[in-house]
Amino acid sequence: MSTQGYDVAVVGAGMGGLATACLLAKAGRSVILVDRAPVAGGVCQSLATDGLRFDIGATLLPGFGPGGPLATLCQRLDISLSTKECDPAFQVALPQHRISLWATPAAWWREIRREFPDEEAGWRALWSELEDLSAERERALREVPPLPPEGWGNRLRVWRVVTMGPASPATTHPGGMLKRSMATSFRVTMVRHGLGQASQRVLEAGLGYLLLRDADECSTLEAAVALQRVRQGVVAVAGGMAAVVEALVGRFQQDGGQLRLETPVARILVDGHRVAGVVTEGGETIRARWVVANVPPDVLTGTLLPPRRGWFRRRRAVDGPWHPAQVAQAMLLAVPEALLPSELSGHCFVVGDPQRPAREENLIFLRTAPAWDQGQAPGGIRCLTVGRFVVRRPGCEDDAMASDLLEAVDQIVPGVASAMVFHRLLTPAALAEAWGRPSAAVRYSVETRDWLGERGLPHRLGWPGLFAVGEWTYPGRLICNVAEGAIRVADQISESAQSLTGIINDI
């Protein structure tokens, strides 16, 4: 059975696919968006239960400031969201220290002076270096193609700027500054500036949550980009990420887009050497001039991509395996508002043992719904999401997991176990069901390239007419990066469509 043809078929209604579909529909393209899940949003959605609403996926939202990717997306789609700035962006709790990442410099340095008086000079020197790197990178971005680069010509341009330094007359740093920062782990840089173990744990916790990588894996430039992006400002959205998804779905359908949920895709259809649409598991053929894939990388490489033939056999999208290296474990809690400390930030990262790196079982995140968001719970009750990212192991005991998570929360909210009015454990399997995806993986075993401090793979996959967005190009938890990639892909398709229309009109 076949359907009518479309300009674009988008597979996966997470943030990347939904944003791409919205932009293309707004530009006048005929777009169909399909997803195997019963609701749109992917990991960018809320879970409603017993009159409570919990955000269980992406919740830390930078990129709403002037010129930011999420602000740009909303502006281009004429979407208005009710947001409030979150300052501090996050807190880190250690047994002997509690420190917040403030956007306001005076507040930030007051925290450092209070918690690490003997290391203030090292902190200042480190932060100055990270700010210099961010500024140098901004200058470099003006001379390179959009990232990740596509084709050898663009890669050569990136290599030249990274190696020689940007040609801008404003630059005061010798060539190779960016290259050295990409080749130096953030751990080495922190030690060079004299930061002790507790100070290192603070920064590790933020990177572990944002990038799912520790200070030994992150380059100094990668850390600089992530931390600066968060310090530039994060917001909370009234209604949570579900409100963002609802606004995008509404705009997409108003602009004529076709949304098909509970429609699993079996494979991408290829005609000759060009993508020609998708085939659903029900046997339906949906023809399209372009296909955009916004699915987990293991699904893209293991299921959807067509087999290579002839010379194309030598061109692989990326070598696997794409099996999950880390998965999410989470718990939902509702507690009396009076129990929460007044200084508790919307995101708090708890490091249990300051002698060990802040990762896996030693890093617990706590997300607290803002008190002003009246739709998350009845009056006097606050919703909390608690979790961690751990190496995937068989036979994980739910009772032990729940005990670990509650113990971490008790460091921030004493007596939480006896005072909570609701709790529910979300295993990886439960998260996979909630997110509508085969696995609740949050990090994969394949390492991608580091392009000026941001890891990812090119949006083009080697077949004409095929693009990828989402986790493929921007692994990690920064939704603003995913939105930025969606904008780029939508613009490339629109430009190609306009060029094609011009050729046809000339004929």
Side-chain angles (χ1 to χ4, degrees):
M1 179 176 65
S2 298
T3 70
Q4 69 181 76
Y6 295 85
D7 291 329
V8 187
V10 181
V11 183
M15 176 57 74
L18 191 52
T20 307
C22 284
L23 290 165
L24 289 168
K26 180 75 172 176
R29 308 300 162 197
S30 59
V31 185
I32 183 169
L33 173 60
V34 297
D35 197 299
R36 68 169 52 241
V39 294
V43 302
C44 297
Q45 59 178 294
S46 301
L47 186 120
T49 179
D50 290 10
L52 305 167
R53 192 196 73 234
F54 299 88
D55 283 335
I56 58 173
T59 55
L60 194 62
L61 298 177
F64 272 102
L70 289 170
T72 300
L73 177 67
C74 290
Q75 182 179 18
R76 289 179 58 169
L77 295 174
D78 298 324
I79 289 176
S80 178
L81 297 170
S82 176
T83 65
K84 285 192 177 182
E85 185 178 358
C86 299
D87 196 13
F90 62 74
Q91 296 172 332
V92 180
L94 288 81
Q96 303 299 325
H97 298 278
R98 186 77 57 84
I99 191 166
S100 302
L101 180 67
W102 294 87
T104 309
W108 172 233
W109 293 119
R110 185 169 59 246
E111 296 257 337
I112 297 297
R113 195 174 302 116
R114 183 194 70 212
E115 297 294 328
F116 308 109
D118 296 336
E119 299 176 16
E120 182 181 353
W123 270 93
R124 286 184 178 273
L126 171 66
W127 212 262
S128 177
E129 179 177 337
L130 297 183
E131 288 178 335
D132 286 346
L133 280 172
S134 296
E136 187 79 351
R137 180 180 182 272
E138 287 300 315
R139 285 191 285 267
L141 288 177
R142 292 194 285 268
E143 300 182 22
V144 300
L147 300 176
E150 296 173 346
W152 288 108
N154 285 342
R155 294 184 185 186
L156 184 60
R157 288 172 59 193
V158 173
W159 174 87
R160 182 192 61 78
V161 171
V162 168
T163 303
M164 306 300 294
S168 168
T171 182
T172 59
H173 301 285
M177 176 185 181
L178 295 175
K179 185 176 182 179
R180 287 192 298 274
S181 69
M182 290 171 60
T184 305
S185 76
F186 190 50
R187 173 89 61 213
V188 169
T189 300
M190 289 192 293
V191 171
R192 174 165 54 84
H193 286 291
L195 268 62
Q197 284 191 333
S199 291
Q200 292 180 39
R201 298 297 94 91
V202 171
L203 294 171
E204 282 176 2
L207 294 178
Y209 182 81
L210 294 170
L211 303 177
L212 308 175
R213 299 161 59 77
D214 64 27
D216 294 303
E217 298 172 301
C218 283
S219 71
T220 300
L221 183 58
E222 192 175 5
V225 172
L227 293 172
Q228 189 70 10
R229 191 157 276 176
V230 171
R231 196 177 176 190
Q232 288 171 347
V234 300
V235 304
V237 178
M241 283 304 299
V244 180
V245 172
E246 182 180 356
L248 290 172
V249 168
R251 173 56 61 193
F252 177 63
Q253 293 179 324
Q254 287 176 25
D255 289 330
Q258 300 297 311
L259 177 62
R260 295 268 298 276
L261 299 172
E262 296 183 289
T263 307
V265 171
R267 61 185 175 89
I268 292 172
L269 180 66
V270 175
D271 186 0
H273 290 303
R274 182 179 176 83
V275 164
V278 298
V279 179
T280 70
E281 290 185 0
E284 180 182 6
T285 297
I286 300 175
R287 293 198 165 270
R289 187 173 296 163
W290 291 275
V291 172
V292 179
N294 177 44
V295 297
D298 51 336
V299 174
L300 180 59
T301 60
T303 304
L304 298 187
L305 288 182
R308 298 287 187 177
R309 295 180 180 175
W311 180 81
F312 281 89
R313 226 176 250 177
R314 303 176 188 175
R315 300 177 59 193
R316 301 175 62 86
V318 67
D319 290 329
W322 280 98
H323 61 263
Q326 285 187 346
V327 295
Q329 298 173 338
M331 175 183 286
L332 310 178
L333 301 176
V335 302
E337 187 168 358
L339 193 67
L340 300 180
S342 59
E343 70 275 11
L344 182 63
S345 172
H347 289 82
C348 185
F349 310 136
V350 183
V351 181
D353 184 356
Q355 305 301 316
R356 295 166 47 209
R359 63 188 182 197
E360 298 177 22
E361 285 81 2
N362 198 37
L363 176 61
I364 307 293
F365 66 82
L366 171 64
R367 195 269 175 178
T368 307
W372 52 266
D373 189 350
Q374 299 298 318
Q376 50 95 23
I381 301 296
R382 296 281 289 281
C383 291
L384 283 64
T385 305
V386 189
R388 62 188 181 186
F389 310 121
V390 297
V391 174
R392 191 172 193 174
R393 300 185 184 94
C396 180
E397 295 294 335
D398 291 351
D399 291 344
M401 183 200 318
S403 177
D404 289 348
L405 296 179
L406 282 175
E407 183 179 347
V409 179
D410 194 72
Q411 296 182 38
I412 308 299
V413 187
V416 65
S418 59
M420 56 190 182
V421 297
F422 173 89
H423 80 282
R424 175 183 168 188
L425 190 66
L426 294 178
T427 62
L431 281 170
E433 181 180 357
W435 289 341
R437 55 194 302 171
S439 67
V442 293
R443 177 176 167 183
Y444 295 89
S445 58
V446 171
E447 291 297 327
T448 57
R449 293 294 302 269
D450 187 0
W451 300 111
L452 279 177
E454 285 185 328
R455 292 182 176 263
L457 296 169
H459 295 285
R460 296 181 187 269
L461 301 178
W463 285 267
L466 178 61
F467 295 85
V469 294
E471 286 180 288
W472 179 265
T473 44
Y474 296 107
R477 296 177 55 78
L478 286 174
I479 291 300
C480 59
N481 286 352
V482 172
E484 189 172 53
I487 292 172
R488 180 183 177 193
V489 167
D491 287 347
Q492 287 180 332
I493 292 175
S494 292
E495 290 169 5
S496 298
Q498 290 171 0
S499 299
L500 183 61
T501 300
I503 292 173
I504 294 174
N505 290 338
D506 290 342
I507 294 174

